[in-house]
């Protein structure tokens, strides 16, 4: 471990440090391993879903993968399965409509993203860990291109299927609450 770790640019915990491992699992609400959580140099969490961030951006073009006020479904599921999410289905709309929908969602998403955060600090073995927990009440996602995830959501909510080359479908807002037994609620639709 020590020889391998000496070559790495990041921190690691020895498996034998069970107190710190347990504290971090509790602090970060880790439910399964492996788990990749990306933190900044101060120990503040940037994203809890580092695996998806890396897989969806293998070249690191969007590094360090901070949470966005409006997540785009083509970048993966985001927090869709964790918290209620307002989803704007506009993959069959023109680019101007998509930009207008995202622009309308952004200020609300920013407000929700900034409103629910707190910082937890934990010290062990002379090391400090800080975790800024952002507990959004509602997340915001936009669907700008056909994806398997978008198609599954459309099917589950009995929305019209979005086929490439088909007639343009109007934008449709839905509140998706997967944590509440997959609940969903229809919002306004149209241009």
């Amino acid at each position: 471990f020590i020889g391998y770790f000496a070559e790495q640019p990041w921190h690691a915990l020895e498996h034998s440090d069970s107190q710190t491992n347990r504290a971090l699992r509790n602090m970060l609400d880790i439910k399964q391993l492996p788990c990749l959580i990306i933190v900044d140099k101060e120990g503040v969490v940037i994203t809890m879903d580092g695996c998806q961030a890396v897989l969806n951006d293998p070249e690191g073009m969007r590094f360090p993968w901070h949470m966005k006020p409006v997540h785009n479904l083509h970048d993966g599921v985001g927090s869709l399965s964790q918290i209620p999410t307002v989803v704007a289905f506009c993959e069959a709309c023109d680019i101007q409509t998509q930009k207008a929908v995202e622009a309308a969602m952004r200020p609300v998403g920013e407000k929700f993203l900034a409103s629910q955060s707190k910082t937890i600090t934990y010290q062990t073995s002379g090391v400090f860990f800080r975790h800024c927990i952002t507990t959004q009440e509602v997340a915001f996602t936009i669907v700008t291109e056909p994806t398997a995830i978008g198609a599954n959501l459309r099917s589950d909510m009995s929305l019209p299927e979005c086929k490439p080359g088909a007639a343009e479908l109007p934008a449709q807002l839905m509140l998706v609450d997967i944590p509440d037994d997959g609940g969903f609620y229809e919002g306004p639709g149209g241009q």
Side-chain angles (χ1 to χ4, degrees), residues 12-69:
L13 294 174
E14 291 196 42
H15 184 70
S16 62
D17 189 355
S18 61
Q19 178 186 5
T20 303
N21 282 317
R22 186 173 29 262
L24 285 174
R25 278 188 184 181
N26 291 336
M27 179 190 303
L28 299 171
D29 195 29
I30 296 171
K31 304 244 188 285
Q32 67 183 31
L33 295 176
C35 176
L36 178 60
I37 298 173
I38 299 172
V39 297
D40 67 13
K41 64 182 180 179
E42 302 296 322
V44 176
V45 172
I46 292 172
T47 180
M48 296 290 290
D49 196 4
C51 291
Q52 272 300 319
V54 172
L55 289 171
N56 290 325
D57 185 22
E59 303 299 320
M61 300 302 291
R62 293 184 296 275
F63 178 80
W65 306 295
H66 287 280
M67 291 174 63
K68 296 177 184 172

Side-chain angles (χ1 to χ4, degrees), residues 68-137:
K68 296 177 184 172
V70 180
H71 173 77
N72 196 313
L73 200 62
H74 73 74
D75 291 329
V77 296
S79 59
L80 186 64
S81 64
Q82 301 163 355
I83 59 175
T85 303
V86 175
V87 180
F89 290 92
C90 55
E91 65 267 48
C93 297
D94 61 62
I95 192 76
Q96 292 87 358
T97 301
Q98 292 175 350
K99 287 182 178 184
V101 169
E102 186 172 0
M105 293 174 79
R106 186 174 294 112
V108 181
E110 287 171 349
K111 185 181 286 187
F112 274 93
L113 189 59
S115 69
Q116 299 290 324
S117 65
K118 63 180 178 178
T119 301
I120 298 171
T121 304
Y122 179 77
Q123 179 182 8
T124 182
S125 309
V127 178
F128 282 94
F129 296 98
R130 246 186 33 221
H131 174 40
C132 182
I133 301 173
T134 303
T135 52
Q136 281 180 271
E137 294 175 5

